[in-house]
Amino acid sequence: QVQLVESGGGSVQAGGSLRLSCAVSGRTFSSCGLGWFRQAPGKEREFVAAISWSGVYTAYVDSLKGRFTVSRDNAKNTLYLQMNSLKPEDTAVYYCAGHYSDLDIASPRSFDYIYWGQGTQVTVSS
């Protein structure tokens, strides 16, 4: 069983930064493709960013490119999301997710992911 635990969420003013972390346990981290998704109140869950198990490939939703950066530390079994220049519309619950595949891909598709964390709240005030 794979467990993912997010941390680092909180409240910040517009223009500020946060770094989310996702600790992964239960299976080989270095072969796990990982992603970040978010869900705002009253909206569907949406893709934010993803990184392949090698770390070579990344993917972002176009609207967040340049502000958000996904990374991973295989020595610490941890996934990160650095979020800069935050806006009120970034307010959401952020989830990390994982999948195992023979392909070294950064998947933006939620149905590729079978392991999910419980989420961490990010609130950006204007």
Side-chain angles (χ1 to χ4, degrees), residues 5-10 17-23 36-38 48 68-71 78-83 86 92-96 119-122:
V5 180
E6 302 96 337
S7 61
S17 298
L18 283 174
R19 188 177 79 157
L20 304 183
S21 300
C22 175
W36 288 99
F37 294 80
R38 69 183 184 184
V48 173
F68 288 16
T69 303
V70 64
S71 62
T78 303
L79 169 73
Y80 301 101
L81 184 68
Q82 178 67 44
M83 305 185 295
L86 283 163
V93 177
Y94 285 71
Y95 299 90
C96 65
T120 186
Q121 177 70 47
V122 171

Side-chain angles (χ1 to χ4, degrees), residues 28-35 50-59 70-75 78-79 99-107 113:
T28 305
F29 179 81
S30 58
S31 57
C32 182
L34 295 161
I51 188 166
S52 66
W53 51 257
S54 72
V56 170
Y57 304 104
T58 58
V70 64
S71 62
R72 64 189 294 159
D73 185 336
N74 285 356
T78 303
L79 169 73
H99 71 92
Y100 288 87
S101 170
D102 290 336
L103 300 176
D104 188 27
I105 59 172
S107 175
Y113 296 86

Side-chain angles (χ1 to χ4, degrees), residues 54-68:
S54 72
V56 170
Y57 304 104
T58 58
Y60 297 89
V61 64
D62 286 344
S63 60
L64 296 177
K65 283 182 180 177
R67 292 198 298 124
F68 288 16

